[in-house]
Amino acid sequence: MPPHNWRRGAPRISGSLGGSSPITPRRTADADLAAVDRALALPEASAPSQRSEAVGTPVVPNVFSARAPLRCRDLSPAEIAGFWGGELRHVERDGDQLLSFFTAAHTHVVLRAKELRVLRPHGELFRTGIGSRPTRNR
Amino acid sequence: MAGVFNSLLTQGHVSINRLLSTTRSYLGLQRAHGQRLFVESADGYVLLDVPSAWEVRPDSCRWLYAHAGGLIEVSLTAGTTLHALDMRIAVRTGPPVRFLLSNHVALNGDDGADAVPVRFESDPNGIIVRAIPDSDVGRRFPNGFFPLRSARGHRGRAGGRGRGAVCRWGSRSQPFLTLLTAPTAAAGFRITGVSSAPRPT
């Protein structure tokens, strides 16, 4: 499917279609793309002619959707030095653009420039306490 | 990192006793899940999303939002001696602003997908969130609750409007519990676990 530029507020009907085929021992190759053509030729691949009543209905905005998120800027080198000092370790860059680094004790910093470059957002997993596993109540 | 300060928050096993919903869509298409924070601007409330920098340590995270009006810092710390999560909000640069904290509560099943209003009550120290009786958590912990406290020195009045940092909270027939602060340069919230033993079997 070619890339689609989705205009804000513009309705678009989309769907998904799955299929299965016998396992083959050979590696995946360009010839496998023929399966896409076969799938798209199936009647099920066509959008239903009877449109949902919801399509095109204006969406009531809420606080999450009414405005764009806060527009942030990159930290300046002086700000980075102010927050984390000058001892940056394992510095990751893209050209002149600072992306991430380690500093102090067990501290990792990811900058906006890196978050915008990666497909999946950075995250963390925390648990309270010091035990190695949760108990029944904690 | 992208402005979800708490999500998939549970007590015990990650599949049970879930207070806050898990975040979905790594493209950020669904913004309401988990715990999100808005800051008031001249145009209204805007969501804190991808920060200028994100710092992670073994027991804490920090988000730094440098924007045209100043710099906002949000930190989250997981307690080691106390089963509590502490959230701190600080305006490092710029005037005091009003914050709106949104919590997508998942206590009542299906990860908060059903339009079940949040069962909560206020007390002088903050808010207590309970599961409805007809839910897995409600059956397992009929007297259990998750306290959501404002930090010491930032208490608001119980319910309704007040002059404290937290001045209003509520839920409008949806699984969202929101807290609105007065214009402030610092605020904080603490979430602790279910404070009740399960029903004997």
Side-chain angles (χ1 to χ4, degrees):
Chain A
M1 181 179 292
H4 177 76
N5 292 323
W6 204 338
R7 286 188 297 111
R8 185 182 179 90
R12 174 174 168 77
I13 297 176
S14 64
S16 60
L17 174 67
S20 60
S21 60
I23 295 175
T24 173
R26 62 176 174 76
R27 289 182 295 179
T28 300
D30 289 344
D32 293 333
L33 290 174
V36 176
D37 296 330
R38 290 195 298 272
L40 292 178
L42 294 173
E44 294 88 343
S46 299
S49 57
Q50 190 173 19
R51 291 189 169 195
S52 167
E53 294 180 358
V55 172
T57 302
V59 176
V60 178
N62 57 41
V63 70
F64 288 98
S65 61
R67 295 172 188 83
L70 182 68
R71 184 184 295 272
C72 287
R73 60 171 173 80
D74 293 328
L75 295 180
S76 68
E79 288 174 318
I80 291 173
F83 279 114
W84 295 284
E87 287 194 28
L88 310 184
R89 307 189 304 274
H90 307 290
V91 175
E92 183 181 18
R93 295 180 181 276
D94 185 0
D96 294 334
Q97 180 71 60
L98 182 61
L99 300 179
S100 71
F101 53 87
F102 286 80
T103 185
H106 315 298
T107 302
H108 180 48
V109 177
V110 179
L111 300 177
R112 175 176 173 273
K114 179 172 183 181
E115 178 72 358
L116 297 179
R117 280 169 166 78
V118 298
L119 180 61
R120 293 178 183 273
H122 292 78
E124 75 286 351
L125 179 63
F126 280 147
R127 66 152 303 189
T128 59
I130 56 175
S132 59
R133 64 183 65 178
T135 61
R136 179 179 176 85
N137 294 321
R138 294 294 184 189
Chain B
M1 172 176 175
V4 182
F5 301 107
N6 275 303
S7 69
L8 189 53
L9 178 57
T10 69
Q11 182 205 20
H13 193 279
V14 295
S15 294
I16 60 174
N17 307 335
R18 184 179 304 178
L19 174 63
L20 297 177
S21 66
T22 185
T23 183
R24 292 183 171 81
S25 170
Y26 60 82
L27 297 176
L29 298 178
Q30 301 183 50
R31 299 172 175 172
H33 297 142
Q35 185 182 56
R36 305 300 304 262
L37 185 66
F38 295 84
V39 59
E40 190 177 36
S41 71
D43 299 327
Y45 287 99
V46 291
L47 184 67
L48 299 189
D49 200 67
V50 176
S52 304
W54 178 72
E55 173 194 274
V56 60
R57 298 169 182 247
D59 62 348
S60 66
C61 278
R62 184 164 63 142
W63 291 255
L64 296 171
Y65 293 90
H67 60 103
L71 194 149
I72 298 169
E73 174 182 314
V74 181
S75 62
L76 182 80
T77 302
T80 54
T81 58
L82 184 67
H83 291 288
L85 290 168
D86 286 315
M87 181 185 197
R88 292 285 184 272
I89 305 167
V91 178
R92 299 282 294 256
T93 307
V97 289
R98 197 183 293 275
F99 292 97
L100 175 64
L101 183 69
S102 171
N103 301 276
H104 186 210
V105 174
L107 269 179
N108 301 319
D110 205 12
D111 203 31
D114 294 335
V116 180
V118 179
R119 183 183 175 210
F120 72 99
E121 56 200 70
S122 59
D123 69 13
N125 296 321
I127 302 166
I128 289 173
V129 183
R130 299 182 187 274
I132 60 174
D134 188 20
S135 67
D136 288 342
V137 180
R139 284 185 284 271
R140 198 159 35 241
F141 295 95
N143 299 314
F145 56 90
F146 281 89
L148 176 55
R149 308 295 195 196
S150 52
R152 181 172 297 182
H154 301 290
R155 291 175 180 172
R157 291 183 179 175
R161 297 169 184 267
R163 292 184 177 180
V166 176
C167 64
R168 197 185 311 170
W169 49 73
S171 175
R172 294 181 178 176
S173 302
Q174 289 290 319
F176 290 90
L177 179 66
T178 58
L179 294 88
L180 182 65
T181 76
T184 183
F189 303 96
R190 166 175 286 183
I191 300 175
T192 49
V194 175
S195 300
S196 175
R199 173 181 289 169
T201 56

